[in-house]
Amino acid sequence: MTPTLRDALSTRENALNFVRLVLAAVVIFEHTWIIGGYENAPDIPLASWAVNGFFAISGYLIAGSKMRLGFREYMVHRAFRIFPAYWAVLVLTAFAVAPLASFVGGGQWQLGSALSYVGNNFLLSVSQFGVGETLATAPYPDVWNGSIWTLFFEFVAYIAAGVLLTFAWVRRHALPIVAIGFVGIVAAQILAHGPLEVTTNLFLNLLRFGAFFAAGMLLYFLGPKLRLRNSFAAIAAVLMVLLFAFDLAIWVGQLPFAFLMLWAGGRLPVRIGVKNDVSYGLYIWAFPVQQFVILLGLGGLGPWGTAVLSLLITLALAWGSWKLIEEPTNGLRRKIPKSWLGPRPNNQELARPRPRGITPQS
């Protein structure tokens, strides 16, 4: 029998990390045209949709994490997963990659700018993209990392999901509540770009990423009854093609797109990344590597050549990030005393009908 979505993704033996690895590689390939100053860039915003895929997968996984963990433990897990490798890429870019780039490309590195690059971006809200004049001679100057700005919205989504699913009443009625929230976010996005004419990027990005994240959450709660039939994936794929054809995909394509990402994670017979998840390191390190490859004068390899070279170099750095930073810090969080993290939710209690007037502890 075809497994349900929840059953297929309930263990580590799935292809979700491989899917995220592919999404990170897609971001690298599209950024190549921007960073290298090449002409004839792809017409489809592949990198944007790859990031949308990250948020859809995160929504599914984060919903499951919060249903298992108390709020404090959940937030500790999220912080340990995001910040250590992120801080490492900030520090190494500012004090190793950028100075070396100034030597190679003839730019100027400044200590004060390096310190402010780390300080201004320390808590995920990226407000400084360059380090001195180290990229003055690059085709895409003044931006050392054009990918990490999305991490702020990822962490905001973590907090929002964590707060929402902390309340016992919400947890008992999670499916309809998340469904209503998802529809509300989609409607708000359409109104913001339409009659409301919202121009604030912060608000527009919160709606865009929030819609894909909520789609992943909704599929988590639908997961026990939703089977991963190939026919469902075919229907979702055809629907996405039609939505792209009528320029509606970004407005109402979140749910079928999220299903395709999760279907691939549950059905593909690929186990790359099951034990060593290098997709996060690949995502946060790719942009600095690509800038440095261009500064070395290797742009003559063409967009595909520099993309492949950058991918190989970044994979090595991502492996180092996983082995030296991410995996050890993930293990370190398990050494935090349970008394500091608070109790875990009692899901059996939440699932049991209660006499009128009795409220479970949240």
Side-chain angles (χ1 to χ4, degrees), residues 9 14-16 18-19 228 259-269:
L9 300 178
N14 58 66
L16 275 183
F18 172 72
V19 173
L228 287 183
F259 176 77
L260 286 172
M261 296 295 101
L262 296 170
W263 173 86
R267 297 292 280 175
L268 290 179

Side-chain angles (χ1 to χ4, degrees), residues 94-95 99 102 108-116 131-134:
F95 294 100
S102 67
Q108 184 178 4
W109 180 80
Q110 300 167 353
L111 176 60
S113 182
L115 290 170
S116 64
V131 179
E133 300 297 324
T134 53

Side-chain angles (χ1 to χ4, degrees), residues 35 94 121 157 193 207 209 242 269-270 282 289 306 318 338 359:
I35 296 171
N121 303 331
H193 285 272
L207 291 175
F209 295 133
L242 292 174
V270 182
L282 191 68
V289 168
T306 56
K338 297 297 182 183
T359 303

Side-chain angles (χ1 to χ4, degrees), residues 149 152-153 193 198-209:
W149 66 274
F152 169 80
F153 298 96
H193 285 272
V198 175
T199 58
T200 305
N201 284 332
L202 175 63
F203 186 66
L204 294 177
N205 284 323
L206 282 172
L207 291 175
R208 169 197 160 191
F209 295 133

Side-chain angles (χ1 to χ4, degrees), residues 29 61-63 66 119 144 146 148 155 163 171 174 179 187 192 195 226 228 260 263 273 292-293 321 347 359-360:
F29 275 88
L61 296 175
I62 291 306
K66 182 60 192 74
W144 265 113
I148 56 175
F155 208 77
V163 170
R171 294 161 61 82
L226 181 60
L228 287 183
L260 286 172
W263 173 86
F292 197 81
V293 166
S321 175
N347 288 324
T359 303

